[in-house]
Amino acid sequence: TIKPLAKDDRAEWERLYHGYAKFYEVPMTSNILDTVWSWIFDEHNAFYGFIAKDTDGKAMGLMHCRAMTSPLRGAMVGFLDDLFVDPSYRNTGAVQSMYAALKAFGESQGWPLIRWITAENNYRGRGSYDKVAEKTHWVTYQMAID
């Protein structure tokens, strides 16, 4: 089952988000967790969180997405910020269910597309993405603001 995050999902969400941050080798702090959690429940912020649960109600994965302006389209599009499946649930169909839920959510929002980025060396994830989305020719840059 894929559903929007609820307040009582916090502990399971944190466990999954720690796993996601560890995969990308990004330090995770309680301040970051509190901030992201607050964004999910801020009705003025078009940022959304979802959790995947197995039939016993155990958290399998998480997803965060948001609305993003696309000036060339003159429209809002979706942006998938984070998608993570607990390693013990990989190859169970969980990620395919998450993609389906993401697509349905995007349709409900009127987004013509959903975009995301991933690490070049995220071969497992990229193999999965290649089955549901088109790899674009865009190269991503990041400018640090110190």
Side-chain angles (χ1 to χ4, degrees), residues 4-125:
L5 280 161
K7 298 267 184 175
D8 62 351
D9 292 319
R10 174 85 188 237
E12 291 181 300
W13 171 83
E14 278 193 25
R15 176 183 60 81
L16 291 165
Y17 208 50
H18 274 285
Y20 180 73
K22 182 178 178 182
F23 175 80
Y24 280 112
E25 300 177 353
V26 173
M28 186 52 55
T29 66
S30 59
N31 185 50
I32 292 170
L33 291 166
D34 290 345
T35 298
V36 175
W37 190 252
S38 75
W39 291 344
I40 295 165
F41 297 100
D42 179 353
E43 64 186 46
H44 302 292
N45 190 351
F47 183 78
Y48 311 95
F50 298 88
I51 193 163
K53 294 189 176 186
D54 68 12
T55 55
D56 295 327
K58 182 166 168 53
M60 304 166 65
L62 65 75
M63 223 172 15
H64 299 135
C65 65
R66 60 188 155 97
M68 180 176 80
T69 56
S70 178
L72 284 174
R73 287 175 184 78
M76 299 301 286
V77 300
F79 191 87
L80 175 63
D81 285 288
D82 310 310
L83 188 146
F84 179 75
V85 174
D86 182 308
S88 63
Y89 287 99
R90 294 186 181 155
N91 296 316
T92 65
V95 75
Q96 289 81 7
S97 295
M98 293 171 76
Y99 294 142
L102 178 64
K103 186 172 185 177
F105 182 73
E107 288 171 354
S108 77
Q109 298 298 302
W111 297 338
L113 60 88
I114 300 170
R115 180 176 290 156
W116 62 87
I117 60 173
T118 193
E120 180 71 28
N121 66 349
N122 183 7
Y123 303 115
R124 183 182 188 98

